[in-house]
Amino acid sequence: MATYKEAQEAFVSNLNGTTTMEIFLVSAVLQPLCNFAYFALLTKLAVSRNNWLEYLLQYLVLAVPVLLFFTCLANHSSSLGAVAVIAATAVFFAGGRLRTSAPAATGGNSKHDASSATTANNVASSITSLRAFVNIATAVAILGVDFTAFPRRFAKVETFGTGLMDVGVGMYVFSMALVSRQARQQPGESLLRGWKTLAALVVLGAGRLVTTKTAAYQEHTSEYGVHWNFFFTLAMLKIFMLLTSPVWTIGQGKAASVSFWSPLLTAAVVGVAYQVLLEGFGLTEFIQHSWLGDGARTDLISANREGILSSLGYFSLYCAAVQLGRCLWTFPGKAKCLAAFSILPMLSLTALQWLGAVQPISRRMANLPFVLWQLHHGSAVLWGFYIVYCAFLATHVDGQPVSSSGSTRRGKAHRLSPSPPLLLAAISQNQLVFFLAANLATGAVNMSMRTIYAPVSVSMCVLALYMAGLCSLAVAMYRKR
């Protein structure tokens, strides 16, 4: 008779995933839509800033829909999404009064300066929303996957295919790169500080390893390996960046142009070279079946082959996202940048797969198709948030609907970018703490109950309380700072 740990491991193993379209609906469509719906509701509701009612509204509109669409409403995502779009649009254009926290525009600014500042604010707000929703979705998934309420098709696939949880790690890397020093073209951190960050990630990874082993928590070895975890992947990325970022410094003349695009060049070289090694030099067989083809994990490298080798794919994704960040923080055509980084990777992936030139998408290997898919997906989600902020800006200014002539009831409009909701700003600013707390809470829940045998009603109550606690922690830390 199987032990409970073995039953848990079987519960999350050998899964085949779902379609990229369903994943797109419950993330790239749902998440910006939640942000849109919140702004739409504020046009009809007078909610005071910085009180418990504002936080409750944000939790219900921004976090709870993600929880529901990942679990009990997963089979109705497309139909409910269409209804939500219609409802949010109707409320939004009905007008009303919105209290914003954006500073008033000064009359001395030129139209060009005001437009540039507004565009930059929209980009910053969009990235903040993206980072927050990545963490909300990750938190729901890492505990939800242990309950039957979470569809098995949303869990991580075994080798080839796409599951909703396969998006999580890639989007975490993607969102982290967008706000990195390299993306903002800021002076690189000192070598000492870089190694301190690396040491902290290694300590976190070691702590995760020890707690997992001592708590006898289920281990899906084909995900990262026997000892590896996501913190070690982040540590590997840090090492790669310490080695390569000095080459990305901005020079003069032609050197400046080459240096600006060096992250994209690095992403292409690493991604293609890694894919050649996977398909032409036996790395795919090694990851799947080890050195001798028997699947053994007899040494440190073979025991953690997935985590070690997939770091190359994540590094390629990180570099590509850094390039997107540079374009967004530098070029005036933000929407064009997002469109290019969203459409071109998907077209490239479609063409390569149609020609039979590459293997299917694999999060386990973080192969080139996975990198292209994640780059497309992350850019599409970010594009969605950017459209939301631009759409809000085009129709509402300082809480007032804007007429076709560009004026409000109070007179000529000063277009102000709406700031991200408090909850999203709090989670984005405390991303690492939120993620750590989610991991600790997941472990605590699994130690206190047999999750895979819990009824759906119990599962939903536990998940709702768990998310409320995590969101409250982020908001409390944000207000304290």
Side-chain angles (χ1 to χ4, degrees):
M1 185 176 179
T3 64
Y4 179 66
K5 180 182 178 182
E6 292 172 337
Q8 277 188 307
E9 291 172 353
F11 190 60
V12 297
S13 301
N14 301 313
L15 302 173
N16 298 318
T18 184
T19 64
T20 55
M21 178 55 68
E22 184 173 26
I23 295 171
F24 186 84
L25 282 172
V26 296
S27 53
V29 173
L30 173 64
Q31 293 170 8
L33 178 60
C34 290
N35 212 154
F36 184 87
Y38 175 72
F39 286 139
L41 281 173
L42 285 186
T43 64
K44 300 299 289 182
L45 300 175
V47 180
S48 300
R49 290 281 178 177
N50 298 318
N51 66 9
W52 67 270
L53 187 58
E54 179 194 28
Y55 163 68
L56 178 61
L57 178 64
Q58 291 178 6
Y59 173 70
L60 292 175
V61 177
L62 301 173
V64 171
V66 177
L67 170 58
L68 294 177
F69 277 74
F70 280 20
T71 52
C72 58
L73 297 183
N75 294 331
H76 307 285
S77 56
S78 57
S79 58
L80 288 179
V83 172
V85 168
I86 296 171
T89 304
V91 174
F92 185 82
F93 288 104
R97 184 178 184 81
L98 169 68
R99 289 164 171 78
T100 67
S101 59
T106 57
N109 290 339
S110 67
K111 291 183 179 180
H112 174 74
D113 291 341
S115 176
S116 299
T118 297
T119 302
N121 286 340
N122 283 340
V123 169
S125 297
S126 300
I127 293 176
T128 296
S129 296
L130 171 70
R131 283 163 56 86
F133 272 105
V134 165
N135 279 271
I136 290 172
T138 301
V140 171
I142 61 174
L143 178 58
V145 72
D146 294 324
F147 291 100
T148 56
F150 191 89
R152 294 301 89 195
R153 67 182 186 276
F154 282 178
K156 292 179 180 178
V157 301
E158 192 66 23
T159 301
F160 294 110
T162 55
L164 178 61
M165 289 188 70
D166 292 320
V167 175
V169 180
M171 285 300 92
Y172 201 96
V173 171
F174 178 87
S175 64
M176 184 174 62
L178 290 174
V179 295
S180 64
R181 288 174 177 269
Q182 295 83 11
R184 292 176 175 269
Q185 301 180 67
Q186 295 175 344
E189 62 183 351
S190 66
L191 194 60
L192 177 60
R193 183 174 179 179
W195 285 107
K196 283 182 177 179
T197 304
L198 174 61
L201 290 170
V202 172
V203 169
L204 289 172
R208 163 80 176 175
L209 173 63
V210 171
T211 53
T212 300
K213 297 292 185 181
T214 55
Y217 184 61
Q218 57 94 356
E219 298 175 83
H220 191 188
T221 54
S222 65
E223 183 179 347
Y224 290 111
V226 176
H227 313 101
W228 204 268
N229 57 58
F230 181 52
F231 292 110
F232 290 137
T233 297
L234 292 180
M236 287 291 289
L237 290 179
K238 190 65 181 180
I239 293 174
F240 291 148
M241 291 310 304
L242 288 172
L243 294 175
T244 58
S245 58
V247 186
W248 295 355
T249 53
I250 304 300
Q252 299 293 328
K254 292 183 179 180
S257 178
V258 173
S259 182
F260 180 85
W261 295 102
S262 56
L264 185 60
L265 178 62
T266 305
V269 170
V270 173
V272 172
Y274 178 48
Q275 190 62 35
V276 170
L277 291 173
L278 282 171
E279 298 202 56
F281 292 85
L283 277 190
T284 295
E285 288 72 21
F286 170 62
I287 290 176
Q288 289 185 278
H289 308 297
S290 192
W291 301 111
L292 301 177
D294 57 0
R297 300 178 182 269
T298 55
D299 55 77
L300 195 61
I301 294 178
S302 65
N304 301 286
R305 53 187 183 264
E306 294 90 351
I308 294 171
L309 293 175
S310 66
S311 297
L312 292 170
Y314 287 119
F315 178 55
S316 176
L317 175 61
Y318 184 93
C319 294
V322 166
Q323 188 64 67
L324 172 59
R326 285 190 172 190
C327 294
L328 290 175
W329 296 117
T330 304
F331 295 153
K334 315 296 184 185
K336 292 180 180 179
C337 292
L338 289 168
F341 275 82
S342 176
I343 296 171
L344 293 180
M346 182 50 67
L347 290 178
S348 301
L349 176 57
T350 303
L352 288 171
Q353 291 183 331
W354 183 74
L355 293 171
V358 293
Q359 58 195 180
I361 295 171
S362 173
R363 184 265 322 148
R364 181 180 179 183
M365 302 174 192
N367 57 5
L368 182 60
F370 175 81
V371 172
L372 291 172
W373 175 48
Q374 291 294 278
L375 184 58
H376 150 74
H377 186 86
S379 301
V381 178
L382 187 59
W383 195 6
F385 282 120
Y386 185 73
I387 290 172
V388 166
Y389 282 100
C390 289
F392 182 88
L393 189 64
T395 54
H396 287 75
V397 177
D398 196 25
Q400 299 297 318
V402 180
S403 67
S404 58
S405 63
S407 62
T408 68
R409 290 193 299 267
R410 295 178 180 176
K412 190 172 181 179
H414 292 295
R415 278 175 158 70
L416 305 177
S417 176
S419 57
L422 168 68
L423 178 60
L424 300 186
I427 295 174
S428 178
Q429 189 176 95
N430 300 284
Q431 185 171 352
L432 183 58
V433 175
F434 187 89
F435 182 68
L436 285 171
N439 276 271
L440 292 173
T442 297
V445 170
N446 275 274
M447 291 178 66
S448 62
M449 64 182 296
R450 297 199 167 194
T451 54
I452 63 175
Y453 303 134
V456 173
S457 57
V458 174
S459 304
M460 296 306 298
C461 289
V462 171
L463 286 167
L465 290 173
Y466 155 83
M467 286 306 300
L470 291 176
C471 293
S472 299
L473 173 65
V475 170
M477 292 186 64
Y478 183 77
R479 285 177 168 169
K480 186 176 181 181
R481 290 181 180 180

